[in-house]
Amino acid sequence: MSHAVVQDTPTPVPPPGGRGSLSQRSLPRWAPAGFALLGILVGVGIGAAAGLDSKVQWGLIAVIAFVVISYVVTTAVENQRQARDRLATSVVWVCFVLAVIPLFSLLWTTISRGVEILDGYFLSHSMAGVPSTQVGGGVYHALIGTLEQVGIATVVSAPIGLLTAVYLVEYGKGALARAVTFFVDVMTGIPSIVAGLFILSIMLMTKTQPSGLMGALALAILMIPVVVRSTEEMLKLVPNELREASLALGVPKWRTILKVVLPTAIGGITTGVMLAIARIAGETAPIILLVFGSQLINPNPFDGAQSSLPFYIYEQYKAGEVASIDRAWAAALVLIAFVMILNLVARGIARWKAPKTGR
C-alpha cells in the first residue's frame, strides 16, 4: 500500500511593520500637539532670522511648517495612507484656527476697550445734556429702544415665519408653495437698507412720523425669511413615522402638527428664532432711516424718535472724540452681551421644551 506524502505549506508571515502586523508603528496621541509646537518654533525662528516685522507672516510660516512636518513625519513613521489622513486633518484644524482667531481678537478688543467705562452708571443713564466731548452719559435710552424694537419685530415675524414654514412642509404643494419658497429665498438676501426704504416709502405715503415701531417693522421684514428657513429645516427633520402614528390613531392633521410635530422640533425652532433676533439686533441702516435716534429716554415705541444700541454705537464713533469712542466700545460690549444672553435663554428653553426620551 502506497502512502501519499502530504507536505505542509508554510503560512506566509507578514513583514514586520507591514499591513496587518501587530507591530505596526504608530505616532502617540500627543503627536499633533508636538507638531504644532514645532511648527510655531520654526515659524518664530524663520521670522526672526529673516527680519520679518509682521506677526501674520510668522503665523503663516508656522502653519505651513506644521502641515509639512505632520505629513513628512507620519509618512516616515506610519504609512502613506495615514499621512494623507493626517494631512487632511491638519488642514481642517488650520482652517478652524484661522476662522477663530479673528473672532477671539474681536471679542478681546471689545471687552478690553468696553469694560473701561461699563458700569451701573453707564447702564442707567442716557445722553441727555451730555456733549460728545464730555465724559459721562450712558446707554440706557438705546438699550430700551433695542429691547422694544427687537421685541416688536419678534412678535410680528415669529408667528408669520412659523406658520409659513408649517404650510410649506405640511401642506404646501403646487404653484403657490413654489412661489412662497421663491420669495422667501429672495427676501433672505435683501440688504437691510432696502427693507428700511420700503417702510420709509410707506411712511411718506401715509405721512407717518419716525418711531420705534417703523424701525421694528423693517427689522421684521429682515427676520421673517430667517425664521421661515430655520423652522422649515427643523420640521423636515421630524420623522414621518411620528406623523403616521398620530394619523393612524385618528388624530386630525392640525392637532398632529400642534401636539407632535412642533413639540418635537421646538428646540431647533427656538434656536432659529434666536439666530434671527441676533441678526436684526445689530442692524443700523433701518434705524437711521426710520427711527432717527434720540439722546433722550423714550419708552414709547409708537410715538417719537428712539435710539438703539447699533445707532448709538454709530453716532458715538462718528463723533470722533475720545470720550465718545469709549462709549461706543462699551455699547458694543453691551450689544454682544445682549445677543449672548438671548442665545443662552434659547438653549435653556430648547432643553426645557425638548421631548423626553427613554433609555
Side-chain angles (χ1 to χ4, degrees), residues 119-198:
D119 53 17
Y121 180 88
F122 182 77
L123 295 175
S124 60
H125 287 74
S126 68
M127 290 297 297
V130 181
S132 60
T133 58
Q134 181 178 336
V135 177
V139 75
Y140 180 75
H141 62 300
L143 185 59
I144 292 296
T146 294
L147 291 173
E148 292 180 347
Q149 293 159 24
V150 171
I152 294 174
T154 304
V155 170
V156 172
S157 61
I160 296 176
L162 178 61
L163 294 176
T164 303
V166 170
Y167 166 75
L168 292 175
V169 175
E170 303 294 338
Y171 297 98
K173 294 179 180 179
L176 179 59
R178 290 193 296 270
V180 172
T181 302
F182 172 76
F183 282 111
V184 168
D185 292 337
V186 171
M187 289 178 63
T188 303
I190 63 172
S192 60
I193 190 67
V194 175
L197 289 173
F198 174 72

Side-chain angles (χ1 to χ4, degrees), residues 24-267:
Q24 183 176 354
R25 294 180 298 176
S26 62
L27 292 170
R29 292 181 178 271
W30 50 263
F35 296 153
L37 179 60
L38 187 58
I40 293 174
L41 294 177
V42 171
V44 172
I46 295 177
L52 300 177
D53 297 330
S54 176
K55 298 301 186 294
V56 176
Q57 295 175 329
W58 292 23
L60 292 177
I61 295 174
V63 165
I64 296 174
F66 165 68
V67 174
V68 172
I69 292 172
S70 299
Y71 182 79
V72 172
V73 175
T74 305
T75 303
V77 175
E78 297 181 353
N79 53 54
Q80 191 73 22
R81 178 182 175 185
Q82 293 295 333
R84 289 194 295 266
D85 178 78
R86 194 175 294 275
L87 175 63
T89 304
S90 301
V91 171
V92 170
W93 272 104
V94 168
C95 294
F96 169 74
V97 172
L98 292 178
V100 168
I101 286 176
L103 175 61
F104 277 102
S105 176
L106 174 64
L107 288 176
W108 174 255
T109 304
T110 305
I111 293 174
S112 61
R113 294 290 299 273
V115 77
E116 295 179 358
I117 65 170
L118 182 59
D119 53 17
Y121 180 88
F122 182 77
L123 295 175
S124 60
H125 287 74
S126 68
M127 290 297 297
V130 181
S132 60
T133 58
Q134 181 178 336
V135 177
V139 75
Y140 180 75
H141 62 300
L143 185 59
I144 292 296
T146 294
L147 291 173
E148 292 180 347
Q149 293 159 24
V150 171
I152 294 174
T154 304
V155 170
V156 172
S157 61
I160 296 176
L162 178 61
L163 294 176
T164 303
V166 170
Y167 166 75
L168 292 175
V169 175
E170 303 294 338
Y171 297 98
K173 294 179 180 179
L176 179 59
R178 290 193 296 270
V180 172
T181 302
F182 172 76
F183 282 111
V184 168
D185 292 337
V186 171
M187 289 178 63
T188 303
I190 63 172
S192 60
I193 190 67
V194 175
L197 289 173
F198 174 72
I199 300 298
L200 180 61
S201 63
I202 296 177
M203 290 174 58
L204 295 176
M205 289 187 295
T206 59
K207 298 181 180 180
T208 304
Q209 297 299 317
S211 64
L213 176 63
M214 298 297 104
L217 293 179
L219 297 179
I221 294 175
L222 300 173
M223 187 175 175
I224 287 175
V226 181
V227 176
V228 173
R229 272 284 163 258
S230 59
T231 304
E232 185 179 1
E233 294 302 322
M234 290 301 105
L235 294 178
K236 288 180 179 178
L237 294 178
V238 177
N240 286 327
E241 289 78 4
L242 296 179
R243 299 180 177 89
E244 295 170 356
S246 178
L247 296 174
L249 294 175
V251 180
K253 188 169 184 177
W254 68 269
R255 195 171 182 85
T256 299
I257 296 172
L258 189 63
K259 295 294 185 180
V260 176
V261 177
L262 291 179
T264 304
I266 189 62

